[in-house]
Amino acid sequence: MTPRKSGGSGPRRFPAIKVPIRDQTSAGGVVFRGEKDRAEVVIVSVGGQHRWQLPKGLVDKAEDPEVTAVREAREEGGVTSEVVLHIETIEYWYAGLENGIRVRFHKRVHFYLLKYISGDTKDHDWEVNEARWVPLEDAANQLAFDNERRVMERARELIGQR
């Protein structure tokens, strides 16, 4: 007798579910005031964990990243500033929801060195728990994300050269 092939004795294979991918672009910056070893920078606390980060947000349609960086410093940090120069663009992936559907986001964030002009960190918007000035030499250690700590260290070098 010839053995028959079984119809389902092996592992079952299910079709792979493709998760949509979305590109996202944000911009933000390191707002500073003062000179070299006496400089201070703005950091903001967000979310339920009150994690500290740099002010940043999504680039609006037809908006240049430089404009977004200044706008986000105003909205999240409460201060008016101007772009001095581009520090770095970072990128990373994260998962999230878009209209209730799981999506993978490929995020790029353009960071700029921003010189303080006016304003008060108390004037931040509702998205932020707190905004504050901190000494430049302490700022990197307070930030939640490695890539933002790297941006802050680069900003520290650039401010030291001014």
Side-chain angles (χ1 to χ4, degrees):
M1 235 161 90
T2 307
R4 295 177 65 193
K5 288 185 178 180
S6 67
S9 64
R12 292 186 61 159
R13 298 195 187 249
F14 295 97
I17 297 173
K18 298 219 181 220
V19 177
I21 295 174
R22 301 286 185 263
D23 286 322
Q24 220 177 40
T25 304
S26 290
V30 177
V31 180
F32 76 98
R33 68 181 179 190
E35 299 296 324
K36 298 184 182 183
D37 59 340
R38 293 184 324 226
E40 296 178 302
V41 295
V42 173
I43 60 174
V44 298
S45 167
V46 299
Q49 300 94 4
H50 294 270
R51 69 176 181 261
W52 289 95
Q53 63 186 46
L54 295 171
K56 64 182 175 296
L58 292 173
V59 175
D60 289 339
K61 280 190 179 209
E63 185 177 51
D64 290 328
E66 294 90 346
V67 173
T68 304
V70 169
R71 176 175 54 79
E72 289 296 330
R74 175 67 196 101
E75 291 174 4
E76 293 190 357
V79 297
T80 302
S81 60
E82 64 184 1
V83 172
V84 175
L85 55 84
H86 180 260
I87 299 173
E88 181 178 348
T89 298
I90 62 172
E91 61 181 293
Y92 56 92
W93 292 83
Y94 73 96
L97 295 176
E98 180 181 73
N99 301 320
I101 298 169
R102 185 173 163 82
V103 174
R104 285 190 69 209
F105 290 97
H106 182 205
K107 181 121 180 180
R108 287 178 183 83
V109 186
H110 304 283
F111 283 104
Y112 296 87
L113 187 61
L114 304 169
K115 185 173 175 124
Y116 170 78
I117 296 172
S118 65
D120 190 323
T121 55
K122 292 181 184 109
D123 294 332
H124 61 80
D125 69 10
W126 63 270
E127 294 176 302
V128 171
N129 301 320
E130 181 183 352
R132 67 167 62 151
W133 288 102
V134 297
L136 177 58
E137 63 270 9
D138 298 336
N141 291 332
Q142 295 182 41
L143 298 174
F145 303 115
D146 288 339
N147 53 20
E148 290 193 11
R149 286 193 287 271
R150 186 179 69 243
V151 168
M152 183 61 72
E153 287 303 327
R154 180 66 183 128
R156 185 176 177 182
E157 292 170 11
L158 294 167
I159 292 168
Q161 295 169 5
R162 298 185 62 73

